[in-house]
Amino acid sequence: MRKILAMLVFGALVSAPAWARDPDLEGRVKKMDVTHSVITVKNELENKIGKREYKVLVKQGMINDYKMNDKIRVWLMADNREASRIERVDR
């Protein structure tokens, strides 16, 4: 019984990888601080974070791909501060 329960829990965790989840943030880039690798996003989704501006730490190579007023989707890491994945949304 324990093995079956463990397999079901493991299967549920593996079946939905982090990149396939819904984005944590989606909205327009309002500010960019290249020296500290921070993008401020005006969140448009109604979720656990709420509708507000949110500062996200990004990798240096990722921050150069976006500019002001780009609409982006952001998947956050577990600490809800650093982006694990960002993609641009077509207008």
Side-chain angles (χ1 to χ4, degrees):
M1 186 65 157
R2 283 179 147 176
K3 287 183 180 181
I4 294 172
L5 182 61
M7 288 173 43
L8 288 174
V9 170
F10 181 74
L13 293 174
V14 174
S15 65
W19 58 266
R21 294 179 297 153
D22 291 332
D24 295 318
L25 298 171
E26 183 175 331
R28 301 240 177 240
V29 176
K30 292 298 177 185
K31 296 178 190 171
M32 295 181 71
D33 185 0
V34 179
T35 58
H36 294 102
S37 298
V38 175
I39 292 178
T40 303
V41 178
K42 175 75 173 172
N43 190 23
E44 297 174 356
L45 295 177
E46 290 188 29
N47 55 10
K48 62 183 177 186
I49 296 173
K51 288 186 170 185
R52 64 182 177 106
E53 287 188 356
Y54 198 77
K55 292 183 180 180
V56 179
L57 292 170
V58 296
K59 295 177 184 168
Q60 187 63 36
M62 294 170 78
I63 197 168
N64 295 329
D65 295 337
Y66 307 101
K67 52 189 175 193
M68 298 292 289
N69 291 323
D70 278 352
K71 189 167 183 178
I72 60 173
R73 289 184 184 142
V74 181
W75 287 262
L76 298 173
M77 291 191 182
D79 62 357
N80 283 342
R81 293 184 182 171
E82 188 174 353
S84 63
R85 179 177 171 213
I86 301 176
E87 71 179 23
R88 184 176 291 118
V89 178
D90 293 333
R91 298 174 192 228

